[in-house]
Each structure stands twice: as C-alpha cells, then as structure tokens.
Amino acid sequence: MARKYMNRTLIPMALLASLTVTTGLARRPGEPLRPGFNLFSKEQDVQLGAEAAKEVRKQYKVVQNPALQDYVRRVGERLAATDEARASGFQFNFTLIVEPTVNAFALPGGPMFIQTGLFPVLDNEAQLAGVMAHEMSHVILRHGTHQATKAKGIGIVASLAQGVVGDKSAMAQVLDGAIALGANSWMLHYSRDAESEADALGCHMMAEAGWDPSQLATFFLKLNAGERGGAGQIAQFLSDHPNPENRESAIQAEIRTLPRRTYGYTTGEFEKARKAVLAIPVPKSAAPAR
Ligand code: ZN
C-alpha cells in the first residue's frame, strides 16, 4: 500500500490543521448541510452504533406492544424515505423504550430510541416526527463521530502517526477504544452548532414527508416553557440537545427557504398511540445520571 510509505509527518500535520480550523461563519438558513470533518468511516459509524444499541437494549426495557412499535416504526420509515435520509446510505431503525424522562436519542449509523416519556409532552404526530427527524439528522450529519473526532482527534492523529501497531491498524485500535466507551458516550450533549444543523435538516425531512415543520419550533417552545416552569423532567432532552440561540426563529427562517408545500399529513393514529403509551406503567428512570 503506497499510503503506508507516505510522509508520516506531513499527514498528521494536515489532519491537525483540519482539526483546528474553526467552522468559520455560521450557516445561513437554506445553505447546504454536510457532515463535518470526521476521522471515522461511515462503516465505523454503523459498527459503533450497532454495538452501542446492544447495550441500550440491555439497559432499558423495550415496550412490549407490537402495535406501538409498529406505529413509531412507520413514522420513522416515512422520514427515512426522504431524499436526505436515503442519500445518507444509513439504515435506520426505531425502538420505543420504557423510560419516563422526556427524551429520544439516535446512535451513529442509525439505531434510534424513543422514550415513552416523550409522549406526554407531544401535542400531535408532527411533533413526534419532528423529534425523530431531528435525531435522524444527527445520524445523517454524523455528529456523534464528528464530535468524537474533535474530542479525540489529537490522540487519533498520534496513533495514525505511529502507523501499524501489532497486527491491528491504529484506526482499528481507536475504533476498539470508541466501542469500549459504550452507548452513553454517544448520548452526551451535542454542540449548539450541531443542534442548529439537526433542527434545519429535520425541518427539510418533515416537510418532504408532509408533516408541518413549524411543529418542531412549537415543540421546543413548549419544552422551554416547561423548563422555565420548573418541570424537572423536561430538562433531559434540552440537556442532551442544548438550545441554540433563537432556536424557534431559526427554525422558522429555515422553513421560509423551503418550497411552498401543503402540510397536514398524518397517519391518523397519534391519539390512539399516545393513549396507549400513557397507559404503560411508569418505572423508575433507568437513564444514567449525567
Ligand atoms: Zn439534537
């Protein structure tokens, strides 16, 4: 492999330079959204996410109601059928878990978990689709491994500079390390930039799927109002997904860049699903303290 013989000083220097370059000007509404700098491959996103999903399934109780799982899956698959989601090449899957805190999360490469505690604060299906579209956008934009790249970049560059160690490549060892970090490391707080991007891309996907994207802004307004009102449980989603500045108006500005469409798609099954979720006995939270 020619690459092996390339100048070992130059490559790490170039990588370091890319790591330290800031994102520059903030993205304006309607501008393209692309994954940021990432030392992991998309295949590694899939591998890391699959490993972490196994842990999530051990840690949480999956809702034992096929009709409810089917409902969440159909909402997710409608979003997964949008151009943006299909272009990512990731295979998404959707699981409703018994967990009373207001949250949902997606792991690198596509596994998404929706917590039962999200349903009491949802007004309609468009808001559920909005949260799911936001989560899928984190996957598509590869925010998990992008953030790991930023956090561990110097270490990865140093390992790559050492070349091959033993019978495993330095990258394979880094990947082992990333897997060992466990599921929780992929659920940690996203940056505010990542949040803005996931809101924007989420709007595009909602709109293409036919759900009113302004409901995403309404959902965040409601979470913030809950937060101000001291509803402690509301905080979990906002703790993992911190509010960018002027979140609601940024979402509305993004929506104005979209082609005019008539929204109003619904499966017609939201109320029934919400009632069924609310009837599930509430256990003690299994969410790890963060
Ligand atoms: Zn987010």
Side-chain angles (χ1 to χ4, degrees), residues 62-85:
V62 171
V63 169
Q64 298 298 314
N65 178 333
L68 267 180
Q69 292 293 354
D70 187 56
Y71 172 70
V72 168
R73 183 182 55 76
R74 276 180 291 133
V75 171
E77 284 183 353
R78 193 173 169 89
L79 293 165
T82 59
D83 290 343
E84 289 87 351

Side-chain angles (χ1 to χ4, degrees), residues 10-272:
L10 270 182
I11 302 168
M13 287 306 283
L15 284 170
L16 270 177
S18 338
L19 284 169
T20 47
V21 166
T22 54
T23 48
L25 290 171
R27 175 185 171 273
R28 280 186 302 236
E31 284 182 351
L33 288 149
R34 300 272 176 274
F37 180 66
N38 205 316
L39 285 173
F40 296 84
S41 67
K42 284 174 89 167
E43 291 71 27
Q44 287 168 335
D45 276 34
V46 172
Q47 191 184 344
L48 290 167
E51 291 293 332
K54 275 189 222 161
E55 278 182 54
V56 171
R57 287 169 188 280
K58 275 186 224 156
Q59 196 174 337
Y60 293 92
K61 200 171 143 216
V62 171
V63 169
Q64 298 298 314
N65 178 333
L68 267 180
Q69 292 293 354
D70 187 56
Y71 172 70
V72 168
R73 183 182 55 76
R74 276 180 291 133
V75 171
E77 284 183 353
R78 193 173 169 89
L79 293 165
T82 59
D83 290 343
E84 289 87 351
R86 281 188 301 132
S88 74
F90 290 125
Q91 302 288 318
F92 297 90
N93 59 69
F94 313 92
T95 309
L96 184 63
I97 54 175
V98 185
E99 170 54 47
T101 49
V102 181
N103 214 353
F105 56 92
L107 299 167
M112 187 192 300
F113 295 88
I114 298 96
Q115 302 187 175
T116 48
L118 178 67
F119 276 75
V121 299
L122 296 173
D123 295 322
N124 51 48
E125 188 172 86
Q127 290 181 7
L128 171 64
V131 171
M132 291 173 75
H134 173 101
E135 294 300 332
M136 282 173 89
S137 299
H138 282 310
V139 173
I140 294 167
L141 296 168
R142 306 185 60 208
H143 286 150
T145 47
H146 170 66
Q147 235 155 258
T149 295
K150 282 199 290 186
K152 311 205 181 308
I154 306 295
I156 293 173
V157 170
S159 315
L160 290 174
Q162 305 292 315
V164 176
V165 185
D167 57 355
K168 267 195 165 179
S169 75
M171 195 61 210
Q173 294 184 5
V174 169
L175 188 65
D176 283 352
I179 288 172
L181 289 175
N184 294 339
S185 66
W186 305 111
M187 293 185 234
L188 293 178
H189 323 283
Y190 289 109
S191 69
R192 285 185 165 77
D193 280 350
E195 286 306 298
S196 300
E197 290 181 9
D199 287 353
L201 187 57
C203 283
H204 289 239
M205 293 165 66
M206 288 177 80
E208 192 187 332
W211 284 291
D212 179 359
S214 71
Q215 285 298 323
L216 185 62
T218 311
F219 171 76
F220 286 126
L221 272 176
K222 195 172 170 181
L223 278 199
N224 286 329
E227 178 101 299
R228 282 195 296 273
Q233 287 214 344
I234 302 273
Q236 192 61 62
F237 188 91
L238 289 175
S239 156
D240 295 353
H241 304 263
N243 264 330
E245 220 170 302
N246 307 317
R247 186 166 213 167
E248 294 78 23
S249 57
I251 291 173
Q252 297 297 356
E254 188 71 26
I255 292 170
R256 285 194 290 276
T257 71
L258 295 171
R260 276 198 171 277
R261 285 192 181 93
T262 314
Y263 303 117
Y265 172 80
T266 170
T267 62
E269 294 165 47
F270 175 76
E271 282 307 327
K272 195 177 146 202

